[in-house]
Amino acid sequence: MAVHSWIDILKSSKKTALIHEGKRKIHYLFTDGKEMAEEYDLKTEELIARKWRHKSALGAPGQWQVEVGEPLSVPVASSDSVIKENCSSPVFVRKDTKTSFQWRIRNLPYPRDVFNVFVEPSERCIIIKTSNKKYYKKFSIPDLDRCHLPFDSSALSFTHANNTLIVSYKKPTEILTLEQELLKELKKLKGTGEGDVDCKTQ
């Protein structure tokens, strides 16, 4: 089953752990050269961030791509007009909970009934549309793709408050089991504390 193959890949990867500022930071190095970095809250054990880095065709490290958490800050021009424009543009961020995949799109000042959020099973994605045609977004759930799990329309819900659209997708049982199993593995790692440089690997 694909879920087992993904957890096996995670377990067989070379992992480095670091405990820093209340977070458990894990770096994974896979046999194909890909890298994944995750951050977990030590108290709640919730995933705070996940990003990936792939090597280029020439073997050079690529840029980190954020999958979960706040997008990496990109330098902007000093022009006031540019900064204002960036501040008012919609910001798409994935922030999961223990039981759901969750996405927050800030700066969407429209009433809730303007939004249409639905699963498109044939394309394995979620689509957000607005009836005023002011916003459109199509995005996948990499976790489901990695485990080859089907999309379920009944798992999808959304709400809108404070100019923010919050889209939730209830995690299937297979994902919850995988995450619990992975967390047990990560707790076995001997994470170094702040100031230590000799990171333990597994």
Side-chain angles (χ1 to χ4, degrees):
M1 191 176 175
V3 178
H4 292 301
S5 63
W6 173 237
I7 191 70
D8 288 341
I9 290 171
L10 289 172
K11 286 180 177 179
S12 64
S13 65
K14 185 179 180 182
K15 294 178 285 291
T16 305
L18 172 68
I19 307 299
H20 180 61
E21 295 182 344
K23 299 174 187 175
R24 175 182 281 110
K25 301 183 179 184
I26 311 292
H27 177 271
Y28 304 77
L29 179 60
F30 299 99
T31 53
D32 60 3
K34 291 178 185 174
E35 296 173 79
M36 182 173 77
E38 291 184 328
E39 292 183 11
Y40 292 85
D41 187 296
L42 278 177
K43 289 183 179 178
T44 66
E45 297 184 342
E46 287 187 0
L47 177 68
I48 300 170
R50 178 188 294 140
K51 56 187 179 179
W52 288 84
R53 184 162 68 176
H54 303 249
K55 286 188 176 180
S56 70
L58 298 175
Q63 297 292 319
W64 284 103
Q65 302 294 323
V66 175
E67 182 178 306
V68 178
E70 292 288 338
L72 299 173
S73 56
V74 179
V76 296
S78 58
S79 166
D80 287 341
S81 61
V82 172
I83 293 172
K84 286 176 183 174
E85 185 180 2
N86 283 346
C87 288
S88 61
S89 297
V91 179
F92 181 87
V93 178
R94 177 174 157 185
K95 287 195 171 184
D96 293 353
T97 68
K98 277 286 188 69
T99 57
S100 297
F101 302 120
Q102 194 172 89
W103 301 264
R104 294 170 179 258
I105 305 96
R106 299 192 289 262
N107 300 330
L108 290 178
Y110 316 118
R112 187 184 187 279
D113 56 12
V114 164
F115 297 96
N116 182 18
V117 183
F118 58 96
V119 167
E120 184 54 74
S122 62
E123 296 187 41
R124 293 187 59 80
C125 68
I126 295 171
I127 294 176
I128 302 171
K129 287 181 178 180
T130 56
S131 57
N132 60 10
K133 298 185 177 176
K134 295 286 188 181
Y135 186 77
Y136 176 89
K137 182 76 175 178
K138 180 166 72 172
F139 56 96
S140 63
I141 306 179
D143 308 69
L144 296 187
D145 292 340
R146 284 190 287 266
C147 296
H148 300 283
L149 293 171
F151 275 67
D152 179 8
S153 296
S154 66
L156 185 67
S157 62
F158 73 95
T159 185
H160 185 269
N162 302 318
N163 294 340
T164 300
L165 181 70
I166 301 173
V167 178
S168 300
Y169 186 99
K170 190 176 179 182
K171 293 177 181 177
T173 305
E174 294 91 337
I175 293 290
L176 293 173
T177 303
L178 182 151
E179 290 180 344
Q180 289 168 0
E181 195 175 337
L182 177 61
L183 200 56
K184 287 178 185 176
E185 285 289 314
L186 298 182
K187 285 180 177 179
K188 293 176 187 175
L189 294 175
K190 295 179 180 178
T192 60
E194 184 178 358
D196 294 335
V197 292
D198 183 23
C199 294
K200 307 296 182 198
T201 59
Q202 177 175 310

